[in-house]
Amino acid sequence: MNTSSSTKRKEHLNKLIEKARSLSLKKKIAITLVLVLAIAGTVFLVKDIQHKLYTRAYKVYCNEKLIGVVREKSLVKDIVNDIKVESSKDYGVNVNIREDKLKYEESHAEDNELTSKKELRQNILKDLKLYVSAYAIEVDGKEVGIVKTKDLAQNILDKVKEPYIKESEDIKVEDIKFVEDVKIVKKEVPISKIQEDEEVLKFIKKGTTEEKIHIVTKGESFWSIAHKYGLTVKDLEKANPNKDAKLIHPGDKLSLIVPKPYITVATYENVKYVEKIPFDVEVKESSAMYKDQVRIKRRGIPGEKEVKAKVIKHNGIEVAKEILKETILSQPVAQIILKGTKELPPLKGTGSFITPTRGRLTSGFGYRWGRMHEGIDLAARVGTPIKAADGGVVTYAGWRGNYGYMVEIDHGGGFKTRYAHCSKIYVKKGQKVYKGKTIAAVGNTGRSTGPHLHFEVRKHGVPQNPYKYLGKKYR
């Protein structure tokens, strides 16, 4: 009995012990679980902190535009410095970059989200202007050009003055300056605004960079070219100061842009020169000459005087002059002109002819070199007067093919005379002339082998031998 009770008590005690053990294990598990969770949370927190530290980055903005994402700001600064150094070498001037246009914003990014150095450099060059310290030439406050250095700017201004510094034994330049307010101003400008010095010089001289060229063709002159483009000859000469208006040839290039320079160069010169003194003209009457005739009996001779003066010029053109001293070198000699008083002969044909000019007979009337020569040739110097062989009406005065400059006169009675190869014509179609009236001058125009007068007499349109009308001299 006692043994059985003892066994039961023992079994019950073992159950209680097991139960206690069971409760203790759960608590242990619970505690262990709490510890595990606590440790895991700490690890996750640490990892999160580490991740944030490792992915820290900056968004880079230029002029409010996103140009890249970088891990460190120093990368951007290094790129900017590299650009400065390389650009300074390339352009030969100190290049600056407006880094105040760069803005940074803190951010996070994985490695694959970062902008490469190459791409970032390209974006900086694209969106951030390169600036340099340069020198601008200003005229009355207006900027007309920007160059790299102050010496280049000064050299340009010296070249603007250079053409007007023309000194000689008789010309002394006392002062030279600009009429306008011209300054050289140091400026911080984008590198793209830097200009070549020759380009700036041309712009200052012409007032424009526009170019318009005409290539001279055969037969053209300054007058015809100016007329073609609506310019004056004076304007065309201004546009081509190095060209002689009388000596242009096919293929020559002429500028059609009339210069309007931004800068006016004023020169103050002491000059010495010889000036002509005009001669007086005396008119005397002559009863031996017709009323429409005038002849110089004595040619006038200008006198001369030496002048010393102060002259102000603007771009080489005289604008003011003060005479300091005049010395007479020679007195002028008056010109004497004879004016006819004799009444004019009848302005119609008389039926007889006079020799039209003084000259040597070089070719007669008739066949010559296998063809008909319809007049006679009288050789004389160019400019020798040609007179009307008889009175009549001018029916032609001008250019006529092989005849060159020609005059034709109708004398009535079916007679006409022709005067060819003239150098000058003094009458016009429809004008009435008398016998002996000077109508032209000997020349060498048209189909001619030398200076001479080709003279024809025609009756009812048929060429006549002039010999029988001009007396024994030409028979």
Side-chain angles (χ1 to χ4, degrees):
M1 186 83 171
N2 290 334
T3 304
S4 175
S5 297
S6 177
T7 301
K8 287 181 179 179
R9 283 197 297 272
K10 189 174 182 179
E11 289 177 355
H12 181 65
L13 182 60
N14 287 335
K15 286 179 181 179
L16 289 172
I17 291 170
E18 288 297 325
K19 190 175 181 180
R21 283 178 178 171
S22 175
L23 287 172
S24 178
L25 180 60
K26 286 180 180 180
K27 285 182 179 180
K28 288 179 179 178
I29 291 172
I31 292 168
T32 302
L33 183 59
V34 170
L35 289 173
V36 169
L37 289 173
I39 292 169
T42 302
V43 171
F44 290 146
L45 179 61
V46 170
K47 284 187 176 180
D48 183 56
I49 293 171
Q50 287 178 334
H51 182 266
K52 286 183 177 179
L53 288 172
Y54 292 144
T55 62
R56 183 186 64 184
Y58 296 92
K59 291 181 179 179
V60 185
Y61 293 88
C62 180
N63 295 318
E64 310 302 326
K65 177 184 175 183
L66 180 65
I67 62 169
V69 179
V70 297
R71 190 71 70 204
E72 299 293 340
K73 293 180 184 179
S74 59
L75 176 63
V76 180
K77 292 181 179 180
D78 288 343
I79 293 173
V80 168
N81 286 332
D82 287 345
I83 293 173
K84 282 183 184 180
V85 172
E86 291 172 14
S87 299
S88 296
K89 288 181 180 178
D90 291 341
Y91 295 104
V93 289
N94 291 327
V95 175
N96 299 317
I97 294 180
R98 295 286 299 276
E99 293 185 60
D100 58 321
K101 299 295 182 180
L102 292 171
K103 304 295 181 185
Y104 301 92
E105 180 184 305
E106 289 188 0
S107 181
H108 292 276
E110 299 295 338
D111 287 344
N112 60 358
E113 295 175 318
L114 298 176
T115 306
S116 70
K117 185 175 181 179
K118 180 180 179 181
E119 184 181 353
L120 187 60
R121 177 188 174 89
Q122 290 173 343
N123 290 342
I124 290 173
L125 285 170
K126 179 181 177 183
D127 295 297
L128 197 62
K129 291 181 179 179
L130 302 179
Y131 284 79
V132 294
S133 292
Y135 292 83
I137 297 174
E138 293 184 354
V139 180
D140 288 339
K142 182 177 180 180
E143 186 181 285
V144 296
I146 300 176
V147 290
K148 293 179 183 178
T149 67
K150 188 175 183 179
D151 286 345
L152 280 175
Q154 187 59 56
N155 187 51
I156 289 170
L157 296 181
D158 290 342
K159 284 185 177 180
V160 171
K161 292 179 179 178
E162 191 176 299
Y164 307 109
I165 307 175
K166 296 179 179 178
E167 289 199 319
S168 66
E169 185 178 339
D170 297 325
I171 300 174
K172 301 297 180 186
V173 178
E174 297 296 318
D175 194 12
I176 181 167
K177 57 187 178 182
F178 299 129
V179 173
E180 297 80 9
D181 180 22
V182 180
K183 295 179 180 177
I184 298 174
V185 181
K186 186 176 182 180
K187 290 186 174 182
E188 192 87 358
V189 299
I191 201 164
S192 59
K193 290 193 71 176
I194 298 293
Q195 298 167 271
E196 293 295 329
D197 50 339
E198 286 300 322
E199 178 187 357
V200 175
L201 178 61
K202 186 184 293 185
F203 182 70
I204 289 173
K205 284 185 172 182
K206 285 195 169 187
T208 179
T209 55
E210 182 185 0
E211 285 289 351
K212 194 174 180 182
I213 300 295
H214 174 82
I215 299 176
V216 178
T217 59
K218 188 176 180 180
E220 286 189 316
S221 65
F222 257 52
W223 183 89
S224 64
I225 296 169
H227 182 72
K228 179 178 180 179
Y229 293 100
L231 301 171
T232 65
V233 172
K234 192 172 182 180
D235 282 342
L236 194 58
E237 288 174 342
K238 284 182 182 178
N240 300 275
N242 298 323
K243 292 285 185 182
D244 186 333
K246 296 178 182 178
L247 294 173
I248 58 171
H249 306 90
D252 285 353
K253 293 180 179 180
L254 297 182
S255 173
L256 300 174
I257 303 300
V258 182
K260 296 177 182 177
Y262 271 104
I263 295 178
T264 306
V265 180
T267 53
Y268 300 81
E269 304 172 354
N270 282 332
V271 301
K272 181 176 68 175
Y273 57 92
V274 174
E275 188 176 88
K276 298 287 185 183
I277 303 173
F279 54 77
D280 292 330
V281 177
E282 298 177 15
V283 179
K284 295 184 177 182
E285 294 183 341
S286 171
S287 59
M289 298 165 56
Y290 292 120
K291 285 183 175 180
D292 71 337
Q293 290 181 317
V294 175
R295 182 168 63 85
I296 297 175
K297 182 179 180 180
R298 183 179 72 190
R299 292 194 175 276
I301 302 174
E304 289 186 340
K305 60 182 177 181
E306 183 183 80
V307 181
K308 292 182 179 180
K310 284 187 175 180
V311 175
I312 300 174
K313 294 179 181 178
H314 285 179
N315 288 346
I317 299 171
E318 185 178 302
V319 295
K321 179 166 66 176
E322 178 189 356
I323 303 297
L324 302 177
K325 184 180 179 182
E326 291 184 338
T327 304
I328 302 296
L329 302 178
S330 64
Q331 294 291 349
V333 176
Q335 180 163 290
I336 299 176
I337 294 177
L338 297 179
K339 182 174 176 57
T341 60
K342 189 166 63 171
E343 291 298 325
L344 298 177
L347 301 177
K348 59 182 180 180
T350 64
S352 65
F353 297 99
I354 62 171
T355 305
T357 193
R358 290 177 296 176
R360 179 173 54 87
L361 179 65
T362 56
S363 185
F365 178 85
Y367 279 93
R368 181 182 67 171
W369 306 321
R371 59 189 298 178
M372 184 65 178
H373 186 232
E374 298 178 341
I376 61 172
D377 292 343
L378 301 173
R381 289 193 301 179
V382 172
T384 303
I386 299 172
K387 301 179 184 298
D390 196 6
V393 179
V394 177
T395 55
Y396 191 91
W399 185 271
R400 191 159 180 177
N402 290 341
Y403 283 102
Y405 287 110
M406 186 197 83
V407 175
E408 182 181 76
I409 301 174
D410 186 345
H411 304 286
F415 281 100
K416 287 185 178 181
T417 53
R418 289 181 177 178
Y419 312 80
H421 308 308
C422 306
S423 58
K424 292 180 181 178
I425 293 176
Y426 303 128
V427 293
K428 58 184 178 180
K429 184 178 179 180
Q431 183 177 341
K432 292 181 179 181
V433 296
Y434 57 83
K435 182 190 292 186
K437 165 78 173 175
T438 300
I439 58 171
V442 172
N444 191 29
T445 59
R447 189 175 180 182
S448 171
T449 56
H452 72 282
L453 166 66
H454 173 80
F455 175 62
E456 294 182 9
V457 176
R458 291 175 177 255
K459 186 173 184 180
H460 301 299
V462 179
Q464 304 293 310
N465 188 339
Y467 292 165
K468 61 184 178 183
Y469 300 100
L470 300 179
K472 294 181 179 179
K473 181 178 179 180
Y474 295 106
R475 291 181 182 235

